[in-house]
Amino acid sequence: MARPKQQDARREELLRAARAVILRRGLHATRVRDVADQAGVATGTVTYYFRELDDLFDLVFAEAVERFCTLREQDAASRPDAREQLVSLIRTGLPTGPDDELCCLLYEFSPQARRQPTDARLRRELYGRQVDLYIRVLGAGAQAGRFTLRRPAAEIAANLVALEDAYGYHVIAQTFMTRETAEQHLFGYAALATGDSTLTV
Amino acid sequence: MARPKQQDARREELLRAARAVILRRGLHATRVRDVADQAGVATGTVTYYFRELDDLFDLVFAEAVERFCTLREQDAASRPDAREQLVSLIRTGLPTGPDDELCCLLYEFSPQARRQPTDARLRRELYGRQVDLYIRVLGAGAQAGRFTLRRPAAEIAANLVALEDAYGYHVIAQTFMTRETAEQHLFGYAALATGDSTLTV
Amino acid sequence: MARPKQQDARREELLRAARAVILRRGLHATRVRDVADQAGVATGTVTYYFRELDDLFDLVFAEAVERFCTLREQDAASRPDAREQLVSLIRTGLPTGPDDELCCLLYEFSPQARRQPTDARLRRELYGRQVDLYIRVLGAGAQAGRFTLRRPAAEIAANLVALEDAYGYHVIAQTFMTRETAEQHLFGYAALATGDSTLTV
Amino acid sequence: MARPKQQDARREELLRAARAVILRRGLHATRVRDVADQAGVATGTVTYYFRELDDLFDLVFAEAVERFCTLREQDAASRPDAREQLVSLIRTGLPTGPDDELCCLLYEFSPQARRQPTDARLRRELYGRQVDLYIRVLGAGAQAGRFTLRRPAAEIAANLVALEDAYGYHVIAQTFMTRETAEQHLFGYAALATGDSTLTV
DNA sequence: AATGAATGAGATTTCATTCAT
DNA sequence: CATGAATGAAATCTCATTCAT
């Protein structure tokens, strides 16, 4: 009983270290040595736990996906009605700013998907769970008479997630848009698609 | 006068080679040797023309941005009216499929933006020119009485570009969505936002 | 009394494991980890029992030498007369084929002799015991009037062992000669040197 | 024309260096770094010329085989008659002593044959050329009436090469036999098999 | 007695860069 | 201009060995 726990703790530690290095240096510039230094262990230790560094990266990504989705699910669940839930989803879907660690992490892994099957799978999961969330909330709002959906729920949900994705990237890369503008645009679309004009920032 | 031309030709050649390698192996896995092999020259030659490999990459990216924007601008310009121009923009904005070379290239550079200033600038240009295109078309359509904009043109334009971006990524990475579905969703939004219900695939 | 027995059993186990790995991977490619895996114990256990891996290897070699010599001595001893004993020696002196485990093992250690004193000593013993065997049988055959030695017994014995050695190597490495041909050549020499023309395969 | 020569010179240089290190440290203990140090170049240079160190080793072995065979062929060819040629072959077939570099080199590669196809091929060549030499000399001697072969020439030749091999190993490894004794035994066999009793040391 | 997590020395591998030609 | 041989820094990989349990 004792050993496995200790091992898991060490794995957690390396995962934390990898996360920190990825955020600081970028996924592609992250070396075994960096992770080892960050965790305060020998490079051999990292190799001992993760024969392939990519296995560790997969774990970091999986954990980030899980955390991001759970956060949103829980925050939405804590809201009283569909409108509030939709507002919650839009708000938690965008990075708080260029330094939002969880979102930065997720973006580090985006470009991997084209070449790494594990990443593609996780990305699909990430996307799927978010679309499902939106679909559920849109359905509930329509049911309750609060929303009048102008387009199929699945389309609206997919579009909202896509907007989050694209704007999230701009917020983090500081290429075009601040979180505020992004939020306004998302609310604009939500209002239009649900017929609920009270949906504003 | 002769020499510069020859030099430019050689630079073009290396640029083409780099493009091919980036598509095949990914931006981060592209080495001087790969580019040299692809171009059929010595490694020293690559270094000779591009002291920093990143300078070559920047050129590849800049060229891709220019080509992508020009293509869309020209295709849109060749259409008779605002509706057709909007259709053109949506169609040329999405990758034809997972093998769309130009789009793949653009996506290879996306994740760089957060850390490389040159890439951030290019990405801003890429985004700006596309949003402008949409704004112009939306404005023209509204002017002509064809579109009844339900939201500010700038917001609609930004949203359309964002949807293209996000869906384009999914089409290329084959993570969630085919080009067909992506197109449907974009047309769905365009119809909603412009009040032109004839906007369908 | 109980402990030492248990310890000896464990040492036997490791010896068996080492033998298997050496045959499979070759002496130089045999690592502590391989032996541990093969024996189903932890790497620490191997080190615990054999501070130096070479000590284990020496044991494997010594055991192989002992087994090989004893086998031949016993098989020869079980024959009724000198001629039959000589036939036995020639037959047990060659590998049965490329997969003869005991012979393969002995050949793994051959090249060590030049650099490792322990191996040189064992090799000397291996050679000495075999030459002695032949000398005894040749002497007995001459005494009994069966053999008419054309050369000194020591020379004939040394030559027979040398031929076994060299041909054994070719049989195992499959470089030149099958066991059958090798046997013919040995019998040819034996017939010539002892004057006993009935010595054939 | 200049470049290839220079490259070949460098390859020769590395070959020489490898040879020296193999003799000093043994084939299995020879590292890229050792060869580089011995040649006075960077480790990268060795890798540049020989991606796989085994390729270099193969060359060293091939060159040794060639040199050994040529030496014997030439020395034998320089003798006036079959008897002198046979004497030459026996003499050049044994190491001059434990420090005979060429023979030491050949023995370093012996154990490889079981696992490395290239080495097996070279070893076959080495053996084949020597047996051929002996067969030719034995045939000439028989033809000339000098030898009366008591056994088939092919068998005698094979046995002589086998004796050389086995005794050569003992001379080098200093496990049992000096060169003098080995030579006596070989002459003893030669005298017996050819009926030429003048064949002595 | 036995373990196996953890180490870190030492080996290889990779590759941008230099430089004589 | 262009080359490509040669470099060596930097990264990874391998693995015997240590040591707390």
Side-chain angles (χ1 to χ4, degrees):
Chain A
M1 228 20 197
R3 284 287 164 72
K5 264 184 194 165
Q6 213 170 341
Q7 273 212 43
D8 281 358
R10 179 52 60 100
R11 286 173 75 91
E12 275 299 323
E13 201 181 323
L14 291 177
L15 197 143
R16 257 195 312 279
R19 203 153 50 207
V21 177
I22 291 169
L23 282 168
R24 190 170 64 243
R25 319 230 307 147
L27 182 62
H28 288 286
T30 298
R31 325 245 167 261
V32 172
R33 163 68 57 105
D34 297 320
V35 177
D37 285 353
Q38 176 78 26
V41 299
T43 64
T45 306
V46 176
T47 309
Y48 181 75
Y49 278 90
F50 299 94
R51 185 159 292 262
E52 299 295 322
L53 203 56
D54 278 351
D55 295 343
L56 173 53
F57 291 163
D58 283 346
L59 225 65
V60 170
F61 189 26
E63 196 270 349
V65 166
E66 181 57 40
R67 193 142 49 95
F68 184 68
C69 290
T70 304
L71 263 172
R72 303 189 70 184
E73 285 159 4
Q74 290 180 345
D75 192 275
S78 73
R79 308 294 165 174
D81 60 35
R83 186 196 171 277
E84 291 309 309
Q85 287 172 2
L86 192 57
V87 169
S88 155
L89 285 181
I90 290 172
R91 295 222 163 110
T92 56
L94 287 169
T96 55
D99 297 323
D100 184 315
E101 297 208 345
L102 190 46
C103 288
C104 282
L105 213 47
L106 292 174
Y107 278 103
E108 286 292 336
F109 285 94
S110 303
Q112 295 303 321
R114 208 178 126 219
R115 288 192 178 81
Q116 296 232 4
T118 308
D119 287 352
R121 194 174 50 67
L122 281 168
R123 190 136 279 275
R124 252 190 297 273
E125 185 197 328
L126 175 60
Y127 189 75
R129 280 174 74 171
Q130 292 175 93
V131 170
D132 283 349
L133 261 181
Y134 271 116
I135 288 180
R136 233 173 299 140
V137 169
L138 290 168
Q143 195 81 26
R146 173 85 211 201
F147 300 154
T148 311
L149 305 187
R150 299 285 164 77
R151 304 284 313 164
E155 180 185 302
I156 301 173
N159 280 353
L160 284 166
V161 174
L163 290 172
E164 277 174 7
D165 255 29
Y167 287 145
Y169 169 76
H170 285 300
V171 169
I172 279 173
Q174 297 176 275
T175 39
F176 211 82
M177 195 165 275
T178 61
R179 190 200 139 98
E180 286 67 41
T181 319
E183 213 174 312
Q184 281 168 18
H185 288 0
L186 269 158
F187 275 113
Y189 175 62
L192 197 59
T194 62
D196 182 344
S197 60
T198 71
L199 284 167
T200 50
V201 179
Chain B
M1 256 330 228
R3 282 290 165 73
K5 263 186 195 165
Q6 215 171 343
Q7 274 208 35
D8 281 358
R10 180 52 61 100
R11 287 173 74 90
E12 274 299 324
E13 204 180 319
L14 291 176
L15 195 143
R16 255 196 312 281
R19 201 154 50 208
V21 177
I22 291 168
L23 282 169
R24 192 170 62 243
R25 318 227 314 145
L27 181 63
H28 289 285
T30 297
R31 297 153 313 175
V32 173
R33 161 68 60 101
D34 296 319
V35 177
D37 286 352
Q38 176 79 25
V41 301
T43 65
T45 308
V46 176
T47 311
Y48 180 76
Y49 279 91
F50 298 92
R51 179 61 58 120
E52 300 292 325
L53 203 57
D54 277 351
D55 296 344
L56 173 52
F57 290 162
D58 284 346
L59 225 64
V60 171
F61 189 27
E63 196 269 349
V65 166
E66 181 55 38
R67 192 143 49 95
F68 184 69
C69 290
T70 305
L71 263 173
R72 301 189 72 181
E73 286 159 5
Q74 290 182 343
D75 191 276
S78 73
R79 308 292 164 173
D81 59 35
R83 187 198 170 274
E84 289 311 307
Q85 287 173 0
L86 191 57
V87 169
S88 157
L89 284 180
I90 290 173
R91 294 223 165 109
T92 57
L94 287 168
T96 56
D99 298 322
D100 186 315
E101 296 206 347
L102 189 47
C103 289
C104 282
L105 213 48
L106 293 174
Y107 278 104
E108 286 293 335
F109 286 93
S110 305
Q112 294 303 323
R114 210 180 125 218
R115 287 192 180 82
Q116 296 233 5
T118 309
D119 287 352
R121 193 176 48 67
L122 280 167
R123 189 136 279 276
R124 253 189 298 273
E125 184 197 329
L126 174 61
Y127 190 74
R129 281 173 72 174
Q130 292 175 93
V131 170
D132 282 351
L133 261 180
Y134 272 114
I135 288 179
R136 235 174 298 138
V137 170
L138 290 168
Q143 195 81 26
R146 173 84 211 202
F147 300 153
T148 313
L149 305 187
R150 300 283 163 76
R151 306 284 313 164
E155 179 185 303
I156 300 174
N159 280 353
L160 283 167
V161 173
L163 290 173
E164 276 173 9
D165 255 29
Y167 287 145
Y169 169 75
H170 286 298
V171 168
I172 279 174
Q174 297 177 274
T175 39
F176 211 83
M177 197 165 275
T178 61
R179 192 201 137 97
E180 286 68 39
T181 318
E183 213 174 310
Q184 281 169 18
H185 288 359
L186 270 158
F187 275 113
Y189 175 62
L192 196 61
T194 62
D196 182 343
S197 59
T198 72
L199 283 168
T200 50
V201 180
Chain C
M1 252 337 225
R3 281 292 164 73
K5 264 184 194 166
Q6 216 171 342
Q7 274 208 36
D8 281 358
R10 179 52 61 99
R11 285 172 75 91
E12 273 300 321
E13 206 180 319
L14 292 177
L15 195 143
R16 254 196 313 280
R19 202 154 49 206
V21 177
I22 292 169
L23 283 169
R24 193 170 60 243
R25 318 227 315 145
L27 182 62
H28 290 285
T30 297
R31 298 154 312 177
V32 172
R33 162 67 60 102
D34 296 319
V35 177
D37 285 354
Q38 176 79 26
V41 301
T43 66
T45 307
V46 176
T47 311
Y48 180 75
Y49 279 91
F50 298 92
R51 180 59 59 120
E52 300 293 324
L53 203 56
D54 277 350
D55 296 344
L56 173 53
F57 291 162
D58 283 346
L59 224 63
V60 170
F61 189 28
E63 196 270 348
V65 165
E66 181 56 39
R67 194 141 49 94
F68 185 68
C69 290
T70 306
L71 263 173
R72 302 188 72 183
E73 286 159 4
Q74 290 182 344
D75 191 275
S78 73
R79 307 293 164 173
D81 59 37
R83 186 196 172 275
E84 290 310 307
Q85 287 172 1
L86 190 58
V87 170
S88 157
L89 284 181
I90 290 173
R91 293 224 165 108
T92 57
L94 287 168
T96 55
D99 297 322
D100 186 315
E101 296 206 346
L102 189 46
C103 289
C104 283
L105 212 47
L106 292 174
Y107 278 103
E108 286 292 334
F109 285 93
S110 305
Q112 295 301 324
R114 211 179 124 219
R115 287 191 181 80
Q116 295 233 2
T118 309
D119 287 351
R121 193 175 49 67
L122 280 168
R123 191 136 278 276
R124 253 190 297 273
E125 184 198 328
L126 175 60
Y127 190 74
R129 281 173 73 173
Q130 291 175 94
V131 171
D132 283 351
L133 261 180
Y134 272 113
I135 288 180
R136 233 174 299 140
V137 169
L138 290 169
Q143 194 84 26
R146 173 86 210 202
F147 300 153
T148 312
L149 305 186
R150 300 284 165 76
R151 304 284 314 165
E155 180 185 304
I156 301 173
N159 280 355
L160 284 167
V161 173
L163 290 173
E164 276 174 8
D165 256 28
Y167 287 145
Y169 169 75
H170 285 300
V171 169
I172 279 173
Q174 296 177 279
T175 40
F176 211 82
M177 196 165 276
T178 61
R179 192 202 136 96
E180 286 68 40
T181 318
E183 213 173 310
Q184 281 169 18
H185 288 0
L186 270 158
F187 275 112
Y189 175 63
L192 196 60
T194 62
D196 183 343
S197 60
T198 71
L199 283 168
T200 50
V201 180
Chain D
M1 228 17 199
R3 281 287 163 73
K5 265 186 195 165
Q6 213 171 341
Q7 272 211 44
D8 280 359
R10 180 50 61 101
R11 286 174 74 93
E12 274 300 324
E13 202 181 322
L14 292 177
L15 197 142
R16 255 195 313 281
R19 203 153 49 207
V21 178
I22 291 169
L23 282 168
R24 191 170 64 244
R25 318 230 308 145
L27 182 63
H28 289 285
T30 298
R31 325 243 167 265
V32 173
R33 162 69 58 106
D34 297 321
V35 177
D37 286 352
Q38 176 78 24
V41 301
T43 66
T45 306
V46 176
T47 309
Y48 180 75
Y49 278 90
F50 299 93
R51 186 158 292 262
E52 299 294 324
L53 203 56
D54 277 352
D55 296 344
L56 173 53
F57 291 163
D58 283 346
L59 226 64
V60 170
F61 189 29
E63 196 269 350
V65 165
E66 183 55 39
R67 195 142 49 93
F68 184 69
C69 291
T70 304
L71 263 172
R72 302 189 70 183
E73 286 158 4
Q74 291 181 343
D75 191 275
S78 73
R79 307 296 165 172
D81 59 35
R83 186 196 171 276
E84 291 310 307
Q85 287 173 1
L86 191 58
V87 169
S88 156
L89 284 181
I90 289 172
R91 293 223 166 108
T92 58
L94 286 168
T96 55
D99 298 322
D100 185 315
E101 296 207 346
L102 189 45
C103 288
C104 282
L105 213 47
L106 292 174
Y107 278 103
E108 286 293 334
F109 284 94
S110 305
Q112 293 302 321
R114 210 178 126 219
R115 288 196 178 78
Q116 295 231 6
T118 308
D119 288 352
R121 194 175 50 65
L122 281 167
R123 190 135 278 273
R124 252 189 297 273
E125 186 198 327
L126 175 60
Y127 190 76
R129 282 173 73 173
Q130 293 174 94
V131 170
D132 283 350
L133 262 180
Y134 272 115
I135 287 180
R136 233 174 300 140
V137 170
L138 290 169
Q143 195 83 25
R146 172 86 211 201
F147 300 154
T148 312
L149 305 187
R150 300 282 165 78
R151 304 284 315 165
E155 180 186 301
I156 300 172
N159 280 354
L160 284 166
V161 174
L163 290 172
E164 278 174 7
D165 255 29
Y167 288 144
Y169 170 75
H170 285 299
V171 169
I172 279 172
Q174 298 177 274
T175 39
F176 211 82
M177 197 165 274
T178 61
R179 189 199 140 96
E180 287 68 39
T181 319
E183 212 174 310
Q184 281 168 18
H185 288 359
L186 269 159
F187 275 113
Y189 175 63
L192 197 60
T194 63
D196 182 344
S197 59
T198 72
L199 285 167
T200 50
V201 180

